[in-house]
Amino acid sequence: MTAILKKFEAPTDPLEMTALYVRAVNEGDVDAVLSLYTEDAVSVWDPEKPISGEEHEQTIREFMTKNPVMTAEVKESYVTGDTVLLVVDWKFDIEGEESISGTGLDVLRKCPDGRWRYAIDNPFGDNDPVQEDAAEGDSAAEG
């Protein structure tokens, strides 16, 4: 079990976080995913309802039962002291559902153990989730 925990141990380099998170999600390791958040982390999966604590954990556990396949790419990163802002383009493919994607804003905090964890996880930044068919329709409407 120690080997499994070390495999997904929070990084000492904050720019490694996105790749580590993607790997934990794609391997279906919900405990590893949860370990990458601070205890007081806030997620904004619904812009009207930030969640934390038990609700945050339950939401992640429920989402992971869908066996999502994630891809992500860091577009921008800003580091100051013990805080990092990552701007990340991401996509989830879930069998039997439309793919969803967005540009997330992630705030990482350097913890006392010297490792970085998510303090704020806002997958949709300042926009709504994009579903593959909806995204194509929006482009045509804007053009």
Side-chain angles (χ1 to χ4, degrees):
M1 182 155 182
T2 302
I4 292 171
L5 289 177
K6 291 236 182 245
K7 180 178 178 182
F8 292 110
E9 193 168 33
T12 55
D13 178 349
L15 300 182
E16 294 175 359
M17 178 60 95
T18 299
L20 182 64
Y21 190 86
V22 168
R23 200 168 79 234
V25 167
N26 290 343
E27 290 192 22
D29 193 330
V30 68
D31 291 325
V33 170
L34 289 167
S35 76
L36 299 176
Y37 289 89
T38 62
E39 286 186 29
D40 61 346
V42 173
S43 286
V44 191
W45 290 15
D46 176 348
E48 301 298 318
K49 189 176 181 224
I51 58 174
S52 60
E54 177 100 10
E55 187 177 9
H56 175 252
E57 180 177 339
Q58 186 60 35
T59 299
I60 288 178
R61 288 190 183 282
E62 287 174 13
F63 181 72
M64 292 291 290
T65 65
K66 297 180 178 189
N67 299 313
V69 175
M70 182 181 192
T71 55
E73 179 182 358
V74 176
K75 302 306 277 182
E76 299 176 47
S77 62
Y78 305 96
V79 181
T80 180
D82 65 353
T83 305
V84 174
L85 172 64
L86 300 177
V87 179
V88 180
D89 285 344
W90 58 268
K91 180 179 177 184
F92 280 111
D93 291 310
I94 300 171
E95 189 172 329
E97 296 184 20
E98 289 186 42
S99 296
I100 57 171
S101 61
T103 299
L105 301 176
D106 296 325
V107 177
L108 308 180
R109 182 185 316 144
K110 190 173 187 177
C111 297
D113 64 359
R115 298 192 174 278
W116 294 86
R117 291 180 179 82
Y118 291 104
I120 301 172
D121 172 23
N122 186 352
F124 303 111
D126 63 355
N127 54 8
D128 293 326
V130 176
Q131 296 182 319
E132 293 304 303
D133 292 337
E136 292 171 9
D138 288 346
S139 295
E142 292 174 11

